[in-house]
Every structure is written in structure tokens, then in C-alpha cells.
Amino acid sequence: MVFTVENDLKRTSPEQQGIASSAVLQFVDALENQIPGIHSFMLLRHGSVIAEAWWSPYGYEHPHMMYSLSKSFTSTAIGLAVNENLLSIDDPVLSFFPDEAPDEVSALLQQMQVRHLLSMSTGHDVDSWPHMVNRPDDNWIKGFLEVPVLHTPGTHFVYNTGATYMLSAILQKITGMKLVDYLQQPLFEPLGISKPTWQESPQGINLGGTGLSIKTEDIARLGQLYLQKGMWQGNQIVPEAWVSEATTMHVSNSNSGQMDWAQGYGYQFWRCHHNAYRGDGAFGQYCIVMPDQDAVLAITSGLDLLDMQQPLNLVWDILLPAMQSGTLPDDPAAYDTLVNRLGSLSMLPVQGESTSPLVAQVSGQIYQVDTNDLTLETIAFSFTEAGCAITLKTATDTETILCGYDVWQRAQTTLFKQRLLFDQTKTATSGAWADEDVFTMVFRLYETPFYYTVSCHFTGDDLIIESQVNISMESTKPVILTAHHA
């Protein structure tokens, strides 16, 4: 449970920080039983880590894709730039990109300021992101400025990842540095965040609104920094005024008060119930700051978008009521139970048999794959007592992935490449015979929210491959490939 890392955070028992180990264990049990797909969490109270866990094959040393949790880091960068007098949040957006302006500039577009990018109140009626990323000329800035502004900026909330990209573009324009590089000295280094990566647009600009990959503890460090009003180890590394401004509601985002997504929006931070606030990203990446409880919770996940309220409900229902003032009496038995539980969490490998009567017939056979979008040409399986080696040949490459029986076997693959997200990615793979003629594999891309379930149906000389991703912004409909061996 305890790991030694650079610039380490203090670790204590939950009881020393006023929360019972049994309550944390109840929270973990609820996560496991009600919300399959949590990859990790780290809970801090009074500045100390009181519980942390990773469901293997996810691990403390691995970064994870943040999706829109990236936005809170972008907001922090703008706050630092404002403090350096490099820009003002009252600056017109067009003032930074006069050469990218549309031929006809509307009065509403002229009114759009940096503050409106920050608060998602640009005046757009839709998220500008699809209009930007699908441009044939790859000029995302121009694409953003061409989206019609239909409302007076500052009056209408639309969640707008394109707006955050523009913040990144503005920062790069005024500093000559990419966002990830600009944050290195004033933020990442003091916090002990090492080797962050941030995906880029075709224009060479960090995506800003998505694309950051960092570790679970790095999320917790940002939350703790904001909880401490920008102070870190005695140094004011983010202005207190910016922390307050960024986490205050600047625009109403719903008429319904039930969901935590309806409590108002700050500067790339969401307001929550219970006077809390958070950065969050698609598929369940959270940085939850609870000032009234002096607590921070970081979570990484691979959740369906419709399930993202559930972890927050568990926080409010289980953790919040358990947070007491002062310390609690030591409870060694409960603490030991919690530590053992946190150290043994794992995603279940594929269940089934490690062999089949078909193994002798199909092992070593090369299957020619019919034309497909993955450009996969051949696939071959080599079954042994220890596992299966899958060899994939595409038009440009050949790779072999090891697949363990009842264990997760680590490898790298280009099989599941996605535009703007990843070309080659790390995977942990497990497999088993679900039936005598069906070998099923799960590929967990453990630095992302995604995993793929691939079922191979062997019928004589033919092979049918069914692949399905767990979650997606688009369709999770299975992809079917057919293949034959000579």
C-alpha cells in the first residue's frame, strides 16, 4: 500500500485523520460491487494519504489518460500566465488570432473573451470540437472561430472542449511554449509530477481540453494544491486569488439540481454538492476537492458515460458522513483488513479453460484475414501450457502479443490505434477457452480507460473474430472479421 516516490506525500492510517478504516473498506466494497470499471483511487485527508489502491493490471507507476480532467490543468496554466501579466481574462479571443478570423466577423464573436473560454460560456450553441478536428486543412483555430456564436458570450453554458483548446493555443501564442512545457517549472516540478505527456493537434498545439496523461497521485497532488489555496510546501505556486476564482461558479449549467453536473461551472472546474468542486474527465477520471472536510479524492476509471454520477454518490453517501473532526482511536484489526484488501485488488482475468480439443488443429496455423479497417492481413495462434502467443501481421508491421491464462500478460500493440489518442499502446492481456471452439481474450489498455474483448470462433478452416470495446464516445457495436487458413 505504501510506495516511495519522489516528493512523496505523507501516509497515515485513516483513524489518524478522523475516518474509520471500516468506512473506507465499505467505500471500496461499494466500488467493486456497484461500479465495475474503477481502476484506482487515492484518498487524502488533512494533507495525508489515508488509502490508495490500484486494481491490477493498473498500477501506481503507470500514467492514465485524463480526458477532460486535463482542462483543470489548462485553467491553472492560464492563471499562472495572468499572474505573469502575459494576458488578461478580459482579452478578446480574436486579438490573439487576427489572421485566422473568418471573412465576416459577427459582433458576438468580437465580444468573446478569454474568460468565456474558461467558463464554457463562449456563446456557441454546440461544442466546437467536432467542427475543428474534422477540418480537412487541420486548422483547428480557424475551425473554432468559424463556428457561429448565437448567444451573447457569458450568458449561455455549453460544454466546449474546443474552447479549452483555444486556451492552449493562446498560451502557446503568447509564450512560444507548448502548454505541457510551460507548466513544467511552475507546477509540475514543485508538485513532483514527472513525465507528463499531452497529445497535440496537427498544428502542434497541446489539446488543452483533453489528452493529458499523468498518474493517480499526480491528480491527488493537484487537488491538494487547490485545497491548500495554491500553497505547496510553504510556497505560493498558484495565486490564491486564482484558486478561488477558478473554483467559483461563473455560469449556471442546468435547471435541475440533482446531478453533480448541474451545480454550476467555474474556470474548467465543476461545482459539486456539499460545497465541493472537481475536475473530471470522460469515462470516470476525477479530482474531487472537499474543502469543508479538508479532503481530496483522485479516481481513474473506465466507466460508461452514463455511470459517472455513481462514484460521486458513493463519496457523498459513505465517505463524507464518516469524516470526523480530530483523530479516532486506533483500530489495528480494521486497518490491517483494509490494507490487505487494498493490496489484493485485481481485475478478474478471463475465465474458462486453458486448453481445448482444437488446440492441436489450430495452433501454428496462419489465418488470412479478409479486407478490414484494421489493415490486419494475417493472424496466428501458438498455444502452450503457459498461455497463447498471438502473431498479427498488418500492411506495415508484424507483432506478437502474449496472452496469459488466469493472469494478465503485459505487452504493446498497435492493433487498437485511434486517431489523436494512441498509435502503439501498452496492454495487459488474458485469455481462456470459453467453449471448445471459442478462445476469448481481453486486452486491457491499462494506461487508458479502454479494454477490448476479442472472441475467436474456430470452425473448420474458418475463423470469425469478434472484437468489442468496453466504452466509447461513439459506438461500442462489435466489429466482426473473417479469416481462413490455406
Side-chain angles (χ1 to χ4, degrees), residues 403-423:
C403 178
Y405 301 144
D406 207 34
V407 296
W408 293 106
Q409 186 79 43
R410 297 186 189 273
Q412 293 196 67
T413 181
T414 59
L415 184 60
F416 307 108
K417 63 178 65 176
Q418 294 185 27
R419 181 173 178 259
L420 297 178
L421 295 183
F422 38 79
D423 290 325

Side-chain angles (χ1 to χ4, degrees), residues 95-172:
S95 67
F96 298 99
F97 308 106
D99 296 338
E100 309 294 345
D103 294 336
E104 294 186 14
V105 177
S106 70
L108 292 178
L109 177 57
Q110 288 178 328
Q111 294 175 38
M112 190 193 299
Q113 300 173 348
V114 172
R115 68 169 65 247
H116 303 132
L117 300 176
L118 286 162
S119 61
M120 300 295 188
S121 60
T122 56
H124 291 127
D125 218 32
V126 295
D127 185 358
S128 59
W129 185 253
H131 301 268
M132 297 161 51
V133 301
N134 294 322
R135 285 181 66 89
D137 66 358
D138 287 333
N139 189 331
W140 291 14
I141 295 171
K142 195 173 184 66
F144 175 87
L145 296 173
E146 288 180 350
V147 176
V149 181
L150 303 180
H151 306 270
T152 301
T155 66
H156 182 75
F157 175 86
V158 165
Y159 196 66
N160 193 341
T161 297
T164 322
Y165 175 77
M166 293 299 287
L167 293 171
S168 178
I170 288 170
L171 190 80
Q172 187 163 324

Side-chain angles (χ1 to χ4, degrees), residues 154 256 298 300 345 358 386 395 406 434 444 477:
S256 170
T300 65
L345 295 170
L358 282 182
D406 207 34
R444 286 195 173 271
K477 183 179 178 181

Side-chain angles (χ1 to χ4, degrees), residues 12 101 159 183 201 210 239 321 342 379 412 420 437 468:
T12 73
Y159 196 66
L183 284 173
S201 72
T210 187
L342 296 180
I379 183 170
Q412 293 196 67
L420 297 178
D437 58 353
Q468 186 170 26

Side-chain angles (χ1 to χ4, degrees), residues 73-86:
F73 286 85
T74 302
S75 171
T76 304
I78 295 298
L80 294 170
V82 167
N83 191 55
E84 287 189 81
N85 295 317
L86 297 177

Side-chain angles (χ1 to χ4, degrees), residues 173-449:
K173 184 75 176 285
I174 62 178
T175 67
M177 303 172 70
K178 293 177 181 178
L179 178 58
V180 69
D181 297 324
Y182 175 76
L183 284 173
Q184 189 62 39
Q185 185 173 0
L187 186 75
F188 293 143
E189 287 183 8
L191 293 187
I193 296 176
S194 62
K195 300 180 181 178
T197 61
W198 212 317
Q199 292 153 351
E200 299 178 5
S201 72
Q203 292 177 285
I205 298 169
N206 290 140
L207 301 187
T210 187
L212 177 65
S213 287
I214 53 174
K215 301 171 187 174
T216 308
E217 183 159 333
D218 300 334
I219 303 171
R221 289 168 185 268
L222 180 76
Q224 188 64 33
L225 172 68
Y226 269 73
L227 182 64
Q228 295 168 179
K229 300 180 179 179
M231 289 286 292
W232 192 262
Q233 297 181 345
N235 298 309
Q236 190 77 45
I237 66 173
V238 175
E240 181 177 348
W242 183 261
V243 171
S244 176
E245 187 79 359
T247 59
T248 295
M249 185 179 81
H250 291 282
V251 60
S252 175
N253 57 359
S254 177
N255 294 322
S256 170
Q258 299 305 310
M259 298 282 287
D260 277 283
W261 278 263
Q263 305 308 307
Y265 197 76
Y267 289 164
Q268 312 287 294
F269 285 89
W270 297 87
R271 294 296 305 175
C272 302
H273 291 296
H274 307 289
N275 193 39
Y277 59 88
R278 73 190 187 284
D280 78 34
F283 310 121
Q285 326 314 318
Y286 305 89
C287 178
I288 306 167
V289 181
M290 297 164 269
D292 294 352
Q293 291 75 28
D294 195 25
V296 171
L297 178 62
I299 296 176
T300 65
S301 314
L303 304 180
D304 188 279
L305 295 176
L306 297 177
D307 295 334
M308 285 183 59
Q309 178 66 40
Q310 294 184 36
L312 297 172
N313 290 342
L314 296 182
V315 174
W316 312 144
D317 293 345
I318 298 175
L319 291 182
L320 235 60
M323 293 182 183
Q324 309 296 316
S325 59
T327 61
L328 298 179
D330 287 340
D331 189 344
Y335 180 61
D336 288 346
T337 300
L338 175 63
V339 170
N340 291 334
R341 183 91 162 89
L342 296 180
S344 63
L345 295 170
S346 176
M347 296 294 183
L348 195 66
V350 178
Q351 301 299 289
E353 301 298 324
S354 60
T355 189
S356 160
L358 282 182
V359 163
Q361 178 182 334
V362 302
S363 188
Q365 293 287 353
I366 298 175
Y367 290 85
Q368 302 287 332
V369 185
D370 295 331
T371 303
N372 60 90
D373 292 340
L374 298 176
T375 69
L376 188 62
E377 294 183 350
T378 66
I379 183 170
F381 303 84
S382 177
F383 292 97
T384 68
E385 292 184 0
C388 177
I390 306 100
T391 301
L392 308 164
K393 182 179 183 298
T394 66
T396 58
D397 198 13
T398 299
E399 61 184 43
T400 298
I401 302 172
L402 299 179
C403 178
Y405 301 144
D406 207 34
V407 296
W408 293 106
Q409 186 79 43
R410 297 186 189 273
Q412 293 196 67
T413 181
T414 59
L415 184 60
F416 307 108
K417 63 178 65 176
Q418 294 185 27
R419 181 173 178 259
L420 297 178
L421 295 183
F422 38 79
D423 290 325
Q424 185 177 69
T425 189
K426 297 175 181 177
T427 180
T429 308
S430 170
W433 288 92
D435 206 336
E436 286 189 356
D437 58 353
V438 181
F439 186 71
T440 298
M441 300 171 284
V442 169
F443 296 78
R444 286 195 173 271
L445 313 186
Y446 56 84
E447 293 185 353
T448 85

